[in-house]
Amino acid sequence: MTRSARHRREHVTLARLPSGVEITTTVHSYEGPDDGPTVYVQAAQHGREINGTEVLRRLHDELPTTDLAGKLVAVPVANPLTFDRISYTTPEVLDSVNPNMNRVWPGDFDGSLHQRMAAALWTYAGEADVIVDLHTGSPSMLTHTVFTQGDDRSRELAEAFGTDLLLAEPSGEDAPETWHRRGFDGKLRVAASAEGIPAITPELAHNKQIVEDAVSTGVRGTLNVLRHLGVLDGQVIAGESPQVARNHLGRVDAAESGLFRPNPSLELGQRVETGDHLGHVYHPSTYEVLQRVECDRDGICYAITREATVKGGDRLVSVAIPVEE
């Protein structure tokens, strides 16, 4: 007799627009015949980050229907509003207080639009034993997994997911003022850790397009997490020992507005040192060099801005500081 998992699909109202139109999404649950942990996985909290959505579709097709111990809850489109706009944030007219949904967790049923949407999803996420929040960065970002610094159980999840780079992000009293000013304590991963729920944020490369390498990494990583927890049988498919770094806010910013030309020799994953030449910002009309961009720390280059038109204060290069262990 086959002991298959039970799949249930639920349409959930996250909030309502002024016209009364409901903002809805679909929550999938896969529950096995054996006891085990509950794992919550969501994608497309930022609507242009759609590789995680494809990851969950493939898991739906490939997820074994036997010997599942516990429960997987999957939300392929966590934010329908930004998904439809292929955007990172919601228009100000809909939520001028909290345009970024990943700054309001665990949400508030009496709050702004995004707070209400987060609160509706938190009824699932907050009951889970583990949370995986799938994101996708720009094409010029090294795939990595973020976990909360000092949270050992979350670090174990990040290691199991299996990206080559892990970023330990300080939070609370350990975080810099900039971190608090940008509302990062309202991220789903941070809110989960604060509630004692291990959580990770895999950042798969590429947005706005389904890219096979990114999707394969996401599928393999999510299956690794399920195997690590015993929800699925089998061994974690581990890669090489990951690099662990800190300072998720390790930005090298534009001092002036203009056109940014990265140093042609700069590559993702490259070790850089203080004073290294990272590129130039120049005046598009006069050709005057406005900034010789230099690295301000020793570390690992994990993101490079490829959109050449930049404003003062925009991020040009992201550099993470390796953790000595």
Side-chain angles (χ1 to χ4, degrees), residues 7 20 25 32 112-114 124 151 184 187 189 199 215-216 255 289 316:
H7 170 243
T25 195
S112 71
L113 190 68
H114 268 158
Y124 299 91
D151 185 337
F184 283 0
K187 291 181 179 182
R189 172 180 49 78
V215 174
S216 296
V289 174
L316 303 178

Side-chain angles (χ1 to χ4, degrees), residues 83-122:
F83 191 92
D84 287 345
R85 290 177 56 83
I86 319 174
S87 65
Y88 189 75
T89 57
T90 290
E92 183 177 355
V93 68
L94 293 180
D95 196 335
S96 61
V97 179
N98 300 295
N100 188 336
M101 185 177 175
N102 203 26
R103 302 292 183 270
V104 302
W105 295 89
D108 182 350
F109 280 113
D110 295 320
S112 71
L113 190 68
H114 268 158
Q115 286 177 309
R116 293 171 187 237
M117 292 168 65
L121 291 177
W122 185 254

Side-chain angles (χ1 to χ4, degrees), residues 7-46:
H7 170 243
R8 187 163 68 97
R9 184 172 59 204
E10 181 182 2
H11 295 288
V12 177
T13 297
L14 301 178
R16 288 180 175 81
L17 296 175
S19 63
V21 171
E22 294 183 341
I23 304 168
T24 64
T25 195
T26 303
V27 177
H28 297 263
S29 61
Y30 310 82
E31 190 164 4
D34 299 322
D35 291 337
T38 295
V39 180
Y40 175 88
V41 185
Q42 71 171 31
Q45 182 173 186
H46 298 137

Side-chain angles (χ1 to χ4, degrees), residues 1-266:
M1 180 177 176
T2 301
R3 302 166 67 244
S4 60
R6 180 169 64 96
H7 170 243
R8 187 163 68 97
R9 184 172 59 204
E10 181 182 2
H11 295 288
V12 177
T13 297
L14 301 178
R16 288 180 175 81
L17 296 175
S19 63
V21 171
E22 294 183 341
I23 304 168
T24 64
T25 195
T26 303
V27 177
H28 297 263
S29 61
Y30 310 82
E31 190 164 4
D34 299 322
D35 291 337
T38 295
V39 180
Y40 175 88
V41 185
Q42 71 171 31
Q45 182 173 186
H46 298 137
R48 65 189 182 188
E49 301 178 11
I50 46 80
N51 276 304
T53 303
E54 175 65 7
V55 165
L56 293 181
R57 186 193 70 82
R58 294 198 193 181
L59 283 174
H60 176 78
D61 289 344
E62 300 175 17
L63 193 68
T65 57
T66 59
D67 299 325
L68 182 68
K71 184 177 183 181
L72 170 67
V73 178
V75 182
V77 181
N79 190 335
L81 292 175
T82 56
F83 191 92
D84 287 345
R85 290 177 56 83
I86 319 174
S87 65
Y88 189 75
T89 57
T90 290
E92 183 177 355
V93 68
L94 293 180
D95 196 335
S96 61
V97 179
N98 300 295
N100 188 336
M101 185 177 175
N102 203 26
R103 302 292 183 270
V104 302
W105 295 89
D108 182 350
F109 280 113
D110 295 320
S112 71
L113 190 68
H114 268 158
Q115 286 177 309
R116 293 171 187 237
M117 292 168 65
L121 291 177
W122 185 254
T123 61
Y124 299 91
E127 295 296 318
D129 297 293
V130 161
I131 292 174
V132 178
D133 187 17
L134 295 170
H135 286 250
T136 54
S138 68
S140 295
M141 173 179 281
L142 190 66
T143 299
H144 60 276
T145 305
V146 188
F147 66 96
T148 299
Q149 182 176 296
D151 185 337
D152 293 338
R153 292 190 299 164
S154 292
R155 173 168 175 164
E156 288 177 4
L157 285 181
E159 291 175 345
F161 193 89
T163 55
D164 292 336
L165 177 64
L166 310 182
L167 285 186
E169 183 180 272
S171 64
E173 295 180 356
D174 296 327
E177 187 274 333
T178 304
W179 188 91
H180 293 282
R181 189 172 66 245
R182 295 180 66 185
F184 283 0
D185 53 349
K187 291 181 179 182
L188 171 57
R189 172 180 49 78
V190 177
S193 290
E195 293 294 324
I197 305 171
I200 57 174
T201 306
E203 289 278 1
L204 309 173
H206 295 280
N207 55 38
K208 298 184 181 180
Q209 52 184 313
I210 294 175
V211 177
E212 186 60 32
D213 286 348
V215 174
S216 296
T217 297
V219 171
R220 182 179 66 249
T222 306
L223 289 174
N224 273 346
V225 167
L226 296 176
R227 293 180 182 123
H228 168 73
L229 296 168
V231 176
L232 292 179
D233 288 336
Q235 296 294 315
V236 171
I237 303 173
E240 298 180 1
S241 297
Q243 299 180 91
V244 182
R246 62 180 174 84
N247 198 351
H248 193 48
L249 287 172
R251 300 160 50 115
V252 179
D253 293 337
E256 302 287 347
S257 301
L259 291 181
F260 174 54
R261 180 179 180 271
N263 187 335
S265 66
L266 185 63

